[in-house]
Amino acid sequence: MPKSAFVAIAGRPSAGKSTLVNALCGEKVSIVSPVPQTTRNTVRGIVNKSEGQLVFLDTPGYHVSGKKLNLRLKGLSDVAFSDADIVLYLIDATRKSGPEEEAVAAALAPASARLVAAVNKIDSPDADPSAARAFVAERFPKAPALEISALRGTGLRELLAALFALAPEGPAWYPEEYYTDQEPVFRIAEIIREEIFARMREELPHAVYVSYVDSARMADGSLQASYDLVVERESQKGMIIGKGGSMIKRIREEAEKGLAEIFDYEIRLKLSVRVDPNWRKNDKTLDKIIF
Ligand SMILES: Nc1nc2c(ncn2[C@@H]2O[C@H](COP(=O)(O)OP(=O)(O)OP(=O)(O)O)[C@@H](O)[C@H]2O)c(=O)[nH]1
Ligand SMILES: [Mg+2]
């Protein structure tokens, strides 16, 4: 009998969860950036092996804050941790554990019997894997603990073996050729957002969401897709447009390049910027974009 399991990836912002999902799937499933709190949705990545199927749930980095957006993101992560068959707890070996790491460990305590820990970024000269291991051994003494580099692909085979060892027998949830179940409209918005996260600094990336407007198939088979980059304030609008439109042009061009790697038809983007004051505090907007 083949095995199948939903595996929620848990960890602090920037621990490398999305990098890991992409490495495991061998495809660009979830966007990555050096800015903490990049992931805002539960993004699924599917891995098929001879043992069976693992469906990874990339979650928003666990950040405890009273802000409405953060509470929503934490809520998504909490649901994934409690629903999943297995929790894969990713610890960033380059950062000291502190209150934020303690909060993740506390949230995962109820899942301790179905938890695998992975110490990430062991390739980095700043990594202290033994400190991270000691932290895990104290909180989850019975959990398997591995050392990996999501960036380099080190230790992933052993990690998959540890996950399949915990996975129950069951049929695959998705056809074998699937590596994600995301709709194109969402994936395109995410690739645009990734370019914004790569280029904008400080508060700005967090103040943007990408909203689908419309799209049309052209006679040559390409897709013309329009999206709004929505910011919170007029001043941010200028920053995202850049001098003479240089920044938004760059975002568009780089996103189109990224999309060419994912889709087998050309996607041409039309990007506009609009202001939606304080969208991060607006329940209706959050309902639409956080899922
Ligand atoms: N050196 C090193 N860097 C890594 C590794 N894995 C991820 N990173 C880097 O860590 C940063 C954050 O990676 P992400 O994959 O976006 O992290 P995340 O946990 O998904 O972050 P959020 O979505 O914000 O919670 C990026 O700059 C990655 O390149 C690793 O194994 N080694
Ligand atoms: Mg992420």
Side-chain angles (χ1 to χ4, degrees):
M1 196 53 182
K3 293 186 160 190
S4 80
F6 281 84
V7 183
I9 308 185
R12 294 161 81 175
S14 272
K17 300 175 294 298
S18 303
T19 306
L20 179 60
V21 163
N22 295 341
L24 290 167
C25 295
E27 301 282 352
K28 173 96 171 198
V29 170
S30 194
I31 65 167
V32 167
S33 96
V35 181
Q37 295 183 284
T38 300
T39 304
R40 289 184 189 156
N41 305 84
T42 306
V43 176
R44 291 194 175 93
I46 302 152
V47 172
N48 294 294
K49 295 281 176 204
S50 55
E51 298 94 320
Q53 184 174 79
L54 296 176
V55 181
F56 288 93
L57 310 172
D58 184 15
T59 64
Y62 210 76
H63 174 66
V64 182
S65 141
K67 289 186 181 161
K68 214 168 219 177
L69 174 65
N70 296 118
L71 288 171
R72 292 273 187 139
L73 298 176
K74 185 174 161 294
L76 279 189
S77 299
D78 284 329
V79 168
F81 305 161
S82 71
D83 284 359
D85 300 295
I86 302 170
V87 173
L88 170 52
Y89 177 20
L90 200 61
I91 302 119
D92 184 342
T94 67
R95 291 173 69 200
K96 284 202 166 68
S97 56
E100 201 174 51
E101 197 70 70
E102 295 286 358
V104 185
L108 300 183
S112 59
R114 50 186 173 91
L115 185 139
V116 172
V119 172
N120 190 31
K121 307 196 186 181
I122 57 160
D123 62 279
S124 167
D126 302 327
D128 185 354
S130 43
R133 268 180 173 279
F135 180 86
V136 173
E138 206 183 309
R139 267 85 185 166
F140 302 99
K142 293 198 180 121
L146 296 94
E147 293 184 11
I148 66 164
S149 164
L151 194 65
R152 299 267 161 83
T154 317
L156 301 192
R157 199 180 314 201
E158 294 79 1
L159 177 59
L160 284 174
L163 295 170
F164 273 117
L166 274 184
E169 287 182 351
W173 291 96
Y174 294 93
E176 246 190 48
E177 65 276 16
Y178 275 46
Y179 64 87
T180 188
D181 64 349
Q182 301 166 74
E183 298 293 339
V185 163
F186 175 75
R187 292 187 84 183
I188 296 168
E190 286 288 275
I191 296 295
I192 298 166
R193 209 162 61 78
E194 186 173 43
E195 292 305 328
I196 296 166
F197 268 67
R199 258 155 266 284
M200 311 308 294
R201 286 291 151 255
E202 291 168 19
E203 192 52 21
L204 197 61
H206 301 294
V208 182
Y209 75 92
V210 177
S211 179
Y212 171 71
V213 180
D214 59 24
S215 61
R217 273 285 178 185
M218 301 288 114
D220 63 1
S222 66
L223 185 79
Q224 175 106 46
S226 303
Y227 284 82
D228 280 347
L229 313 185
V230 187
V231 292
E232 286 192 314
R233 295 195 301 272
E234 272 311 315
S235 59
Q236 295 167 334
K237 197 171 164 178
M239 289 164 85
I240 212 159
I241 291 171
K243 249 199 185 134
S246 58
M247 179 57 85
I248 196 161
K249 178 167 181 261
R250 188 85 200 279
I251 290 168
R252 177 176 56 75
E253 288 172 349
E254 293 302 316
E256 284 176 346
K257 273 190 216 159
L259 291 167
E261 312 245 314
I262 295 175
F263 292 92
D264 54 11
Y265 47 89
E266 191 191 346
I267 298 176
R268 271 177 271 145
L269 296 173
K270 216 175 135 232
L271 304 181
S272 312
V273 185
R274 82 179 149 83
V275 180
D276 179 357
N278 294 319
W279 65 262
R280 279 184 281 182
K281 293 184 184 140
N282 183 330
D283 280 312
K284 270 204 187 124
T285 308
L286 295 176
D287 285 345
K288 219 169 57 185
I289 64 171
I290 311 290
F291 49 84

XYZ file of all heavy atoms in Angstrom, residues 12-20 31-39 58-61 120-124 148-152, ligand 1:
263
model
N 9.770 30.031 12.115
C 9.776 31.493 12.184
C 9.824 32.089 10.772
O 10.227 31.411 9.828
C 11.039 31.960 12.909
C 11.087 31.568 14.334
C 12.515 31.636 14.829
N 12.894 32.993 15.177
C 14.080 33.283 15.733
N 14.965 32.344 15.969
N 14.360 34.520 16.044
N 9.479 33.373 10.660
C 9.661 34.042 9.372
C 11.115 33.909 8.920
O 12.033 33.992 9.750
C 9.319 35.509 9.683
C 8.418 35.440 10.883
C 8.890 34.269 11.681
N 11.318 33.660 7.647
C 12.662 33.561 7.046
C 13.456 32.318 7.440
O 14.656 32.252 7.172
C 13.517 34.808 7.353
O 13.276 35.771 6.363
N 12.826 31.324 8.041
C 13.543 30.088 8.396
C 13.956 29.307 7.146
O 14.842 28.462 7.199
C 12.675 29.218 9.303
N 13.268 29.571 6.025
C 13.585 28.871 4.777
C 12.501 27.879 4.361
O 12.760 26.983 3.551
N 11.285 28.076 4.852
C 10.183 27.134 4.570
C 9.859 27.066 3.072
O 9.711 25.989 2.500
C 8.929 27.545 5.367
C 9.136 27.546 6.874
C 7.948 28.072 7.646
C 7.640 29.543 7.426
N 8.712 30.475 7.830
N 9.741 28.242 2.460
C 9.380 28.255 1.034
C 10.529 27.729 0.176
O 10.305 26.998 -0.797
C 9.002 29.674 0.609
O 7.932 30.150 1.424
N 11.755 28.062 0.560
C 12.930 27.526 -0.151
C 12.906 26.002 -0.082
O 13.201 25.316 -1.073
C 14.226 28.059 0.504
O 14.163 29.481 0.543
C 15.464 27.630 -0.267
N 12.536 25.478 1.073
C 12.509 24.027 1.254
C 11.425 23.370 0.398
O 11.665 22.344 -0.244
C 12.303 23.685 2.741
C 12.222 22.198 3.062
C 13.510 21.474 2.661
C 11.935 21.965 4.545
N 6.962 31.589 -3.292
C 7.939 32.664 -3.473
C 8.856 32.795 -2.259
O 8.467 32.478 -1.139
C 7.262 34.009 -3.839
C 6.380 34.523 -2.700
C 6.475 33.878 -5.128
C 5.946 35.984 -2.873
N 10.060 33.278 -2.531
C 11.130 33.360 -1.530
C 11.697 34.764 -1.535
O 11.821 35.375 -2.595
C 12.254 32.366 -1.905
C 13.519 32.625 -1.105
C 11.792 30.922 -1.738
N 12.048 35.292 -0.357
C 12.769 36.562 -0.312
C 13.510 36.674 1.007
O 13.194 35.972 1.961
C 11.807 37.742 -0.485
O 11.442 38.265 0.768
N 14.495 37.579 1.069
C 15.202 37.761 2.345
C 14.359 38.509 3.373
O 14.750 38.623 4.528
C 16.436 38.587 1.948
C 16.217 39.087 0.579
C 15.059 38.381 -0.023
N 13.212 39.029 2.964
C 12.364 39.806 3.876
C 11.461 38.854 4.665
O 10.750 38.053 4.063
C 11.484 40.803 3.080
C 10.622 41.639 4.007
C 12.340 41.689 2.188
N 11.490 38.929 5.997
C 10.603 38.060 6.785
C 9.131 38.340 6.467
O 8.779 39.469 6.142
C 10.906 38.431 8.240
C 12.205 39.172 8.212
C 12.316 39.791 6.855
N 8.314 37.329 6.565
C 6.868 37.403 6.303
C 6.556 37.596 4.822
O 5.703 38.402 4.444
C 6.234 38.503 7.131
C 6.329 38.188 8.616
C 5.640 39.228 9.444
O 6.156 40.321 9.631
N 4.467 38.900 9.915
N 7.238 36.836 4.012
C 6.978 36.847 2.576
C 5.714 36.040 2.269
O 4.841 36.504 1.534
C 8.189 36.239 1.826
O 9.346 37.025 2.129
C 7.978 36.231 0.329
N 5.635 34.848 2.805
C 4.493 33.965 2.509
C 3.255 34.439 3.270
O 3.311 34.648 4.479
C 4.840 32.513 2.897
O 6.039 32.146 2.211
C 3.725 31.551 2.524
N 3.233 24.906 2.792
C 4.107 26.009 3.185
C 3.221 26.999 3.928
O 2.136 27.345 3.454
C 4.711 26.652 1.934
C 5.702 27.751 2.279
O 6.127 27.822 3.448
O 6.054 28.522 1.367
N 3.668 27.439 5.097
C 2.821 28.324 5.907
C 3.500 29.684 6.094
O 4.709 29.800 5.961
C 2.561 27.708 7.304
O 3.809 27.612 8.012
C 1.926 26.340 7.200
N 2.699 30.710 6.448
C 3.315 31.998 6.777
C 4.207 31.839 8.018
O 3.854 31.119 8.944
C 2.123 32.895 7.095
C 0.950 32.254 6.398
C 1.220 30.788 6.472
N 5.350 32.507 8.028
C 6.255 32.460 9.180
C 5.518 32.839 10.462
O 4.731 33.787 10.466
N 17.925 24.058 9.615
C 18.211 24.529 8.249
C 19.385 25.519 8.211
O 19.789 26.045 9.229
C 16.952 25.185 7.664
C 17.081 25.478 6.183
O 17.769 24.752 5.449
N 16.430 26.533 5.719
N 19.882 25.737 7.016
C 20.954 26.705 6.707
C 22.307 26.241 7.241
O 23.151 27.065 7.598
C 20.611 28.115 7.220
C 19.238 28.625 6.748
C 19.061 30.105 6.927
C 17.638 30.537 6.591
N 17.394 31.968 6.727
N 22.527 24.918 7.307
C 23.810 24.437 7.833
C 24.972 24.780 6.893
O 26.124 24.657 7.273
C 23.796 22.924 8.143
C 23.421 22.110 6.894
C 22.865 22.603 9.301
C 23.839 20.665 6.995
N 24.650 25.206 5.669
C 25.703 25.644 4.740
C 26.310 26.977 5.156
O 27.406 27.333 4.729
C 25.103 25.781 3.338
C 24.016 26.844 3.309
O 22.869 26.543 3.714
O 24.293 27.975 2.920
N 25.589 27.747 5.975
C 26.019 29.109 6.279
C 27.153 29.126 7.311
O 27.106 28.379 8.294
C 24.827 29.912 6.811
O 25.271 31.111 7.386
N 19.845 20.131 7.591
C 19.669 20.293 6.143
C 20.146 21.664 5.653
O 20.337 22.589 6.450
C 18.187 20.125 5.702
C 17.314 21.264 6.267
C 17.618 18.778 6.133
C 15.957 21.385 5.585
N 20.305 21.763 4.361
C 20.403 23.060 3.714
C 19.383 23.058 2.582
O 19.572 22.370 1.575
C 21.808 23.308 3.162
O 21.750 24.385 2.240
N 18.305 23.803 2.778
C 17.273 23.891 1.735
C 17.857 24.554 0.492
O 17.505 24.204 -0.637
C 16.073 24.674 2.250
N 18.782 25.482 0.727
C 19.379 26.229 -0.383
C 20.243 25.325 -1.263
O 20.186 25.380 -2.486
C 20.235 27.362 0.186
C 20.679 28.443 -0.787
C 19.496 29.233 -1.317
C 21.673 29.387 -0.114
N 21.028 24.467 -0.636
C 21.948 23.609 -1.379
C 21.351 22.241 -1.699
O 21.919 21.485 -2.482
C 23.230 23.377 -0.562
C 24.001 24.627 -0.250
C 25.071 24.890 -1.320
N 25.505 26.278 -1.288
C 26.418 26.758 -0.453
N 26.999 25.966 0.409
N 26.742 28.029 -0.496
N 22.286 30.073 3.602
C 21.051 29.604 3.467
N 20.030 30.458 3.245
C 18.783 29.940 3.121
C 18.521 28.550 3.221
N 17.183 28.356 3.068
C 16.649 29.581 2.871
N 17.593 30.538 2.898
C 17.417 31.998 2.717
O 16.601 32.501 3.760
C 15.775 33.590 3.285
C 14.318 33.293 3.590
O 13.911 32.176 2.820
P 12.367 31.816 2.615
O 12.319 30.470 1.984
O 11.648 32.930 1.952
O 11.909 31.717 4.146
P 10.434 31.447 4.726
O 10.601 30.642 5.957
O 9.540 30.907 3.680
O 10.020 32.938 5.111
P 8.503 33.548 5.343
O 7.668 33.184 4.194
O 8.780 35.009 5.422
O 8.058 32.982 6.647
C 16.068 33.708 1.793
O 17.004 34.736 1.608
C 16.664 32.338 1.436
O 17.544 32.372 0.334
C 19.632 27.671 3.441
O 19.539 26.440 3.521
N 20.854 28.255 3.552
